[in-house]
Amino acid sequence: MTGRTGQRQAGRARRAAAAAVIAAGTVLATPGTVLAAAGDGLPKQPRIADLATGGAECAPGEDRPYVETVPQVTARLYGPGGGQPGEASRVRGEFEAWWQGEGGAEERVSMTTTTMHDTAPFTWQLPSTVPDETVVSWRVRAVNDAGASAWSSEGAGAPCEFVYDRTRPDAPVVTSSDYPDDDTWTPGVGVRGTFRFTAQAEDIVAFAYEFMGEPPRTADVRPDGSAEIRFVPRKSGRQILSVQAQDRAGNRSARADYTFLIGEGPAPVARWKLADAAGSRSAAAETGTAARAGAGAAFGAPAPSGTPLTSTASLDGTGHGFLTPGAPVVADTAKDFDVGGWVRPERVDGTRTVLSQDAGAARAFTLGLTQAGSGPAWSFAVGGARITGGLPETGDWAYVLGQYDAETGTARLYVNGRAVGEETAAVPVAGQGDFQIGRARGAQGYRDRWQGEIGDVRAYDRIVVPEELTALATRAAQRVGHWALDTAPDGLAPESDGGAPLKLGAGASVYRLDDDPCDPFDPFCDRDWPLEGDGHLRLDGVAGHAATEAPVVDTSGSFTVSARVRLTDDAPATPMTAFSQGGEHGDAFKVRFDPENSSWDLVLAHADEPGAPETVLRRIEWPDGDIGSGHRVTVVHDASANQVSFYVDGSKDAEGGTAALDTAWKSTGGLQLGRGRTADGWGEQLKGVVDGVYAYEGVLSETQISQLP
């Protein structure tokens, strides 16, 4: 008897002994393992729910999946314990697949896995000989030393089926009557259009599509093999829509590119600048119908600076303070529309209406302000839905726009070009009544009257896109001060346009290049070159400063202040303020160099009080040591966004260059160069050079900031 034959006989003897023990009702176990009792040693029949074809559920007949590659099939198998917790079984999986060959004969392939714990998934990558366009069936069973389970297809089970489909479908046909592909320009920015996709094969289940510059999306196929999608162009110019048909196996067709030309968005359906002559009893319409003015509406009121408006209308908040064209302007409130305008409230108590449209004894929509949980808020209501957000403030201009998106069925509210509040689902009501400026219809008549100014009212029967909204709401920054610091006759550095001068204090002087006695050709000449122009301001770091008598910018509103600064020392000992503006105890803003961190800092006190909390934005920079052109440091406060930004040499840090600021206050002191407020009074004197100081009412863009000299 050979060694291998002896091993086989010994193995059979051990299995026979184990079987006898089990038959006698004895359980053999090792720690953590439970063996099944007699009669239950066979693995369990695999369940259909535990089988998958390439990630798709096992299914026969019409529910069978279609796959674009030869799939890997997966099964969960169970030993005698049926996968119960604490029971360990080891099994192997026997897979079998079959199909009808080209000659009609059945072809079969099979595979047996290695023995594994029944907690592991059992897989089989089917061979590449699996034919395409043919129904393939497969099944599996579990096997151990005691025998094999029933096949998964036996009894209440069924074979799993699939079809391997590797053929790409034909590209779809794309059409649109709203935006034809015929090289003609269609007025379309903000105008929703419909595009139709038509399949060229029967097994198409979806269309993948993508507009140029937009994220990819998919559209489901309707029973007739087509799909329709809606799209709002956001920019004028050439647009390309790319579409692919996708079949049930996941194959995608070649791309069908549909090109169309988008013109500028249609003009508002109604617009009133409200810049009519004082004493007029109606407002001329740029488009639409002239609006009759009540006795409480007066023309010739101030307009927001930095806009094309020259004047606005003022409403007194009484029953006579209104304007109306006596007709609707939003023809169908169930479709896309936007309404908006420039407003400045004189009062922010109660509910006050800027724009509305009658709907019988109620209104279809209202735009204005109302009282929210924390106080007044801007408001846009459509039907019974209302969205609120932003903070209306007495005497502050804001551009307010309400938008209803019929495609999503939602209302949106924008203040100064930014979305506020949360987009809200709305069910519009029919509103074919008159359009109103300054009041809203109620059961007992008109109510919720506006008190303050309104200008440039517009109504659109389309979506106002973000780029248009930015243009409508932008107020160009207005320069309120520029000090070249080239001269200072009688100790006064003039403002370029004749505004308030900067008065030089002790330790401050203007250096001019043409006053320097140093010979530029002398190798020992240490000439002081101006940072900009013909001269600059030198400060001694002890008492040197220059200041205006009154504030230059309103620190509670939007402003931009910038200066070029060079430090004399390469290792300053104490903080030094380049410029500031504040009150009696603190600075609404100051820009200083902090030697401890080797950084330029923007510091903003939250109140004009000793020890008030501060917001600090920091930019790491080495000190200059009186060499080079220094740094242009710029502070920007955007009151409409309640945020402040800090730029050094035309750029800001991606993180930490901007911060929220809802504690801005109106300073009473003048603009200071070379010093700032401290706990002990004036301090932090700058030892260095300041030049090219600019101040603006409003927000300079990043491009404009980078272009400052």
Side-chain angles (χ1 to χ4, degrees):
M1 181 174 65
T2 67
R4 180 170 296 181
T5 301
Q7 291 173 355
R8 285 199 296 266
Q9 291 178 348
R12 284 196 293 268
R14 285 194 299 272
R15 287 194 294 273
V21 172
I22 294 173
T26 303
V27 176
L28 300 177
T30 58
T33 302
V34 179
L35 300 181
D40 196 24
L42 295 178
K44 301 300 183 183
Q45 179 183 11
R47 300 180 302 181
I48 296 298
D50 293 329
L51 311 182
T53 303
E57 294 180 357
C58 170
E62 294 300 320
D63 294 329
R64 69 177 72 95
Y66 283 68
V67 295
E68 59 181 329
T69 59
V70 176
Q72 174 180 276
V73 296
T74 305
R76 172 73 191 273
L77 304 179
Y78 301 99
Q84 295 297 317
E87 298 196 6
S89 296
R90 291 176 61 82
V91 298
R92 57 187 177 274
E94 289 187 1
F95 289 89
E96 186 176 58
W98 65 94
W99 60 86
Q100 189 174 14
E102 292 185 0
E106 183 179 86
E107 298 184 23
R108 286 182 178 263
V109 291
S110 62
M111 190 274 290
T112 301
T113 71
T114 59
T115 301
M116 299 183 294
H117 284 290
D118 60 0
T119 57
F122 292 76
T123 62
W124 177 28
Q125 174 60 55
L126 288 165
S128 59
T129 55
V130 169
D132 64 345
E133 307 297 340
T134 301
V135 175
V136 178
S137 303
W138 68 274
R139 62 183 183 174
V140 66
R141 65 181 178 180
V143 181
N144 64 8
D145 289 346
S149 72
W151 286 101
S152 59
S153 58
E154 294 181 314
C160 303
E161 295 179 350
F162 69 89
V163 175
Y164 166 40
D165 180 359
R166 61 180 180 180
T167 303
R168 294 181 69 186
D170 292 334
V173 174
V174 183
T175 56
S176 174
S177 58
D178 296 318
Y179 292 102
D181 183 0
D182 60 3
D183 290 328
T184 60
W185 290 89
T186 304
V189 171
V191 179
R192 201 179 302 278
T194 300
F195 295 82
R196 182 181 178 87
F197 311 150
T198 303
Q200 301 300 292
E202 294 183 355
D203 62 342
I204 301 303
V205 296
F207 295 100
Y209 69 94
E210 182 177 351
F211 288 93
M212 186 170 63
E214 298 281 334
R217 295 180 173 87
T218 58
D220 293 332
V221 174
R222 300 185 299 196
D224 65 355
S226 70
E228 285 190 352
I229 59 101
R230 305 264 285 162
F231 174 67
V232 177
R234 295 178 179 268
K235 293 184 178 180
S236 60
R238 183 179 299 273
Q239 175 63 267
I240 300 175
L241 167 61
S242 299
V243 188
Q244 292 175 285
Q246 180 175 311
D247 66 17
R248 54 193 169 185
N251 297 299
R252 287 190 176 182
S253 71
R255 192 177 66 186
D257 287 340
Y258 184 88
T259 303
F260 55 102
L261 304 178
I262 307 166
E264 296 292 337
V269 293
R271 180 188 178 190
W272 300 270
K273 288 185 177 180
L274 302 181
D276 303 85
S280 297
R281 296 320 318 147
S282 66
E286 298 291 307
T287 55
T289 305
R292 176 175 60 89
F299 296 104
S305 60
T307 71
L309 293 180
T310 57
S311 64
T312 60
S314 176
L315 307 184
D316 64 5
T318 70
H320 301 288
F322 68 90
L323 298 104
T324 180
V329 298
V330 178
D332 190 344
T333 52
K335 295 182 179 180
D336 296 335
F337 71 88
D338 294 72
V339 291
W342 282 102
V343 296
R344 181 168 69 169
E346 186 178 321
R347 294 178 62 176
V348 294
D349 57 334
T351 298
R352 299 189 176 275
T353 301
V354 177
L355 306 172
S356 70
Q357 185 161 300
D358 298 347
R363 55 265 192 182
F365 61 83
T366 58
L367 175 69
L369 63 84
T370 191
Q371 302 306 303
S374 58
W378 295 109
S379 166
F380 180 52
V382 176
R386 181 183 297 276
I387 178 173
T388 60
L391 178 62
E393 295 188 16
T394 301
D396 283 357
W397 284 104
Y399 189 84
V400 185
L401 182 136
Q403 182 178 92
Y404 175 69
D405 186 327
E407 188 74 8
T408 60
T410 56
R412 306 180 187 117
L413 175 61
Y414 298 89
V415 178
N416 294 322
R418 296 178 175 85
V420 299
E422 295 185 3
E423 187 172 326
T424 302
V427 178
V429 298
Q432 297 301 311
D434 296 347
F435 186 75
Q436 305 291 337
I437 301 174
R439 63 182 184 179
R441 183 75 176 180
Q444 305 300 319
Y446 290 103
R447 51 183 292 183
D448 302 338
R449 303 176 188 280
W450 183 260
Q451 186 169 339
E453 285 76 47
I454 301 178
D456 199 14
V457 169
R458 305 184 188 213
Y460 296 83
D461 60 353
R462 60 177 179 88
I463 296 295
V464 173
V465 300
E467 190 172 281
E468 293 177 309
L469 185 55
T470 298
L472 287 170
T474 295
R475 297 177 65 181
Q478 305 295 300
R479 197 175 79 182
V480 294
H482 171 224
W483 294 269
L485 298 173
D486 292 338
T487 61
D490 300 323
L492 298 175
E495 196 278 322
S496 299
D497 295 322
L502 284 161
K503 184 178 181 180
L504 276 58
S509 61
V510 167
Y511 165 82
R512 285 184 58 82
L513 183 63
D514 54 12
D515 293 337
D516 194 333
C518 182
D519 183 353
F521 296 103
D522 182 350
F524 298 101
C525 172
D526 188 13
R527 197 177 185 91
D528 185 8
W529 295 97
L531 300 188
E532 296 176 20
D534 297 326
H536 54 220
L537 178 68
R538 270 208 166 276
L539 303 170
D540 64 1
V542 179
H545 70 279
T548 61
E549 289 189 359
V552 170
V553 294
D554 178 357
T555 53
S556 67
S558 296
F559 67 86
T560 304
V561 178
S562 180
R564 184 168 291 280
V565 187
R566 186 179 71 200
L567 304 179
T568 299
D569 300 330
D570 57 7
T574 59
M576 295 185 292
T577 294
F579 58 85
S580 66
Q581 186 175 300
E584 182 179 354
H585 302 286
D587 291 317
F589 70 86
K590 68 179 171 184
V591 174
R592 72 181 178 193
F593 186 81
D594 181 1
E596 182 178 351
N597 297 298
S598 187
S599 64
W600 281 104
D601 295 350
L602 168 61
V603 183
L604 306 108
H606 293 188
D608 187 13
E609 299 171 357
E614 296 177 335
T615 292
V616 180
L617 299 182
R618 178 164 290 141
R619 175 74 171 266
I620 304 299
E621 294 287 348
W622 292 106
D624 304 302
D626 217 16
I627 298 173
S629 59
H631 298 284
R632 176 156 289 283
V633 286
T634 306
V635 53
V636 178
H637 177 230
D638 187 343
S640 67
N642 287 332
Q643 68 182 26
V644 64
S645 298
F646 185 43
Y647 295 80
V648 178
D649 295 328
S651 66
K652 63 178 179 178
D653 289 344
E655 296 183 5
T658 297
L661 184 71
D662 56 6
T663 56
W665 48 279
K666 191 167 186 171
S667 61
T668 55
L671 177 66
Q672 306 287 330
L673 303 186
R675 67 180 185 178
R677 287 287 189 184
T678 70
D680 299 322
W682 292 115
E684 297 184 349
Q685 264 79 12
L686 177 79
K687 186 177 183 181
V689 173
V690 180
D691 206 356
V693 178
Y694 293 86
Y696 294 83
E697 178 188 277
V699 175
L700 286 187
S701 67
E702 291 195 11
T703 299
Q704 291 171 317
I705 291 171
S706 67
Q707 292 172 346
L708 290 172

